[in-house]
Amino acid sequence: MAEAGERPTRREERVLRGTVAEIRPTIAWVLGQLPPCDAPMLDVGLTEALTNAVAHGVNGLDGSERDADYRGWLDRLAEAPGRDAGLRVTLTLEASALEVRLRWKGTPYAPPSLMPAGPEAVRGRGSTLIASAFEEVEVAGDGLGLRLRTPVGQ
């Protein structure tokens, strides 16, 4: 039971096809549940996590293709149809923490190991941004999901 003045735990879920067009509205939905002070960094981390889930997980686009032809890769991503019920986003908001779970049907995807991304790095910055926004980042054992958790409202 929540203490006086505390938010009660709330859990909501959305099921997406897994298209690029769904990323911004989904982020707005999550951030709309939070105090404004928590929003800026979580916006960056959620954008990276959802984009990776849509691109690599739901639509199976390979990062090495992006390296060879970035513009073409972006075009393919923008046109990717997604899959019906391809991406499930579950939001759990507790009095002092936010947990977002992403679960997709499609290609297993494990983000590159977290590493400092220097100016010469071709990839890897997204994982670093996700880890900067969330205190806990866990990849599902089967590679078909992420669990992101961080304190909020502090």
Side-chain angles (χ1 to χ4, degrees):
M1 180 125 215
E3 297 290 322
E6 271 190 10
R7 288 184 295 238
T9 297
R10 192 169 79 235
R11 183 171 187 253
E12 295 182 35
E13 188 169 271
R14 291 204 174 167
V15 178
L16 312 175
R17 284 183 49 229
T19 64
V20 171
E22 295 168 306
I23 293 173
R24 287 308 314 164
T26 302
I27 292 167
W29 165 65
V30 172
L31 297 181
Q33 315 299 314
L34 302 175
C37 62
D38 293 316
M41 194 60 201
L42 291 178
D43 187 341
V44 172
L46 281 169
T47 298
E48 283 298 325
L50 281 165
T51 300
N52 285 345
V54 167
H56 305 300
V58 175
N59 291 294
L61 296 177
D62 186 346
S64 63
E65 294 172 1
R66 179 185 60 200
D67 301 343
D69 177 16
Y70 186 67
R71 272 284 181 238
W73 188 87
L74 282 178
D75 291 343
R76 285 190 299 284
L77 176 58
E79 295 168 3
R83 297 187 177 116
D84 289 335
L87 178 60
R88 184 174 304 274
V89 180
T90 305
L91 164 76
T92 303
L93 184 59
E94 300 168 358
S96 61
L98 166 72
E99 182 174 286
V100 178
R101 289 181 181 258
L102 307 177
R103 186 81 184 151
W104 56 85
K105 294 179 181 178
T107 307
Y109 172 70
S113 60
L114 299 177
M115 60 186 162
E120 70 287 345
V122 176
R123 291 186 280 163
R125 290 181 184 89
S127 297
T128 301
L129 290 170
I130 294 168
S132 295
F134 292 93
E135 197 168 274
E136 298 174 34
V137 178
E138 181 182 308
V139 178
D142 61 4
L144 295 172
L146 280 177
R147 184 183 70 83
L148 310 168
R149 186 174 174 84
T150 198
V152 293
Q154 299 176 357

